[in-house]
Amino acid sequence: MTIRITLVAPATSPSLRQARFDDGDSIDDGGAARARSAAGSLPAAARVLLSPSARCRETASALGLDGVAVRELAGLDAGRWRGRTLEEVMATEPEAVGRWLADPDCAPHGGESVRDACERVGHWLDSARDTDGRTLAVVEPEVVRAAVVHVLGVPATGFWRLDVPPLTATEFSGRAGRWNLRLGQPLAAAS
């Protein structure tokens, strides 16, 4: 049996545009319009899952999808940095940011380390091997990064080297413990 999982990155939000650690904000008008125009362009799925964030729920809704939030698909917990811009944190804690970006085991913000996020998403992905039909999930970019790190078996230090643009689909297909990957396809307007 071939497993098929499509991870969709959410539409743009003010936090994303400001390089702000997720603060639970909504998608912006332009992102919502782009998502609405792509409604119907994704393949049919047996199940639709979501990161439990406002922007993932709103993106799914704009895409015409009704999904279930899954805790294992949450974005990276930035702890006390939540809601602050990277620039603000760099101004007050430059050494901590440097350690966090260089060491996947480091979590100076009191939240989750990159390695922990990669392991959490990897466990979810491995457990999905027992599901039938396609899974479609609207998830935070960190979840896509963590899944790619897991599937390719690259070191967690590669996490920050992966760019995940808004409203792109990354597809995983696999059989017998082997995964194939198709990266970052932009969602097109439905025809």
Side-chain angles (χ1 to χ4, degrees):
M1 170 176 69
T2 299
I3 309 304
R4 297 189 188 286
I5 298 172
T6 302
L7 301 181
V8 176
T12 55
S13 67
S15 289
L16 182 65
R17 291 189 186 284
Q18 299 163 1
R20 182 178 303 280
F21 291 96
D22 183 36
D23 58 0
D25 66 346
S26 294
I27 59 177
D28 59 32
D29 291 341
R34 282 189 55 219
R36 281 191 302 274
S37 76
S41 67
L42 292 164
R47 73 200 55 68
V48 177
L49 307 176
L50 310 170
S51 288
S53 66
R55 73 182 187 163
C56 288
R57 284 191 314 272
E58 292 171 3
T59 298
S61 179
L63 287 168
L65 303 171
D66 184 24
V68 176
V70 176
R71 185 178 53 82
E72 292 84 6
L73 296 179
L76 181 70
D77 178 1
R80 63 186 167 75
W81 292 352
R82 181 178 165 93
R84 297 173 65 193
T85 66
L86 183 58
E87 184 177 310
E88 290 168 346
V89 177
M90 283 290 295
T92 59
E93 302 179 60
E95 297 84 17
V97 172
R99 284 192 322 272
W100 180 63
L101 292 173
D103 180 359
D105 292 310
C106 186
H109 44 61
E112 181 178 38
S113 73
V114 165
R115 186 171 318 279
D116 288 343
C118 289
E119 288 175 1
R120 170 174 50 85
V121 172
H123 289 301
W124 173 81
L125 197 56
D126 288 343
S127 72
R129 289 183 182 154
D130 299 328
T131 59
D132 288 330
R134 180 182 297 273
T135 299
L136 181 62
V138 180
V139 297
E140 293 295 338
E142 304 90 23
V143 174
V144 179
R145 287 187 188 112
V148 171
V149 164
H150 178 73
V151 163
L152 295 181
V154 299
T157 53
F159 181 87
W160 295 117
R161 306 294 240 163
L162 301 168
D163 288 332
V164 182
L167 292 176
T168 55
T170 300
E171 296 182 19
F172 301 84
S173 61
R175 175 190 311 247
R178 180 176 177 268
W179 290 100
N180 294 315
L181 181 61
R182 182 177 289 172
L183 294 171
Q185 299 177 71
L187 300 187
S191 49

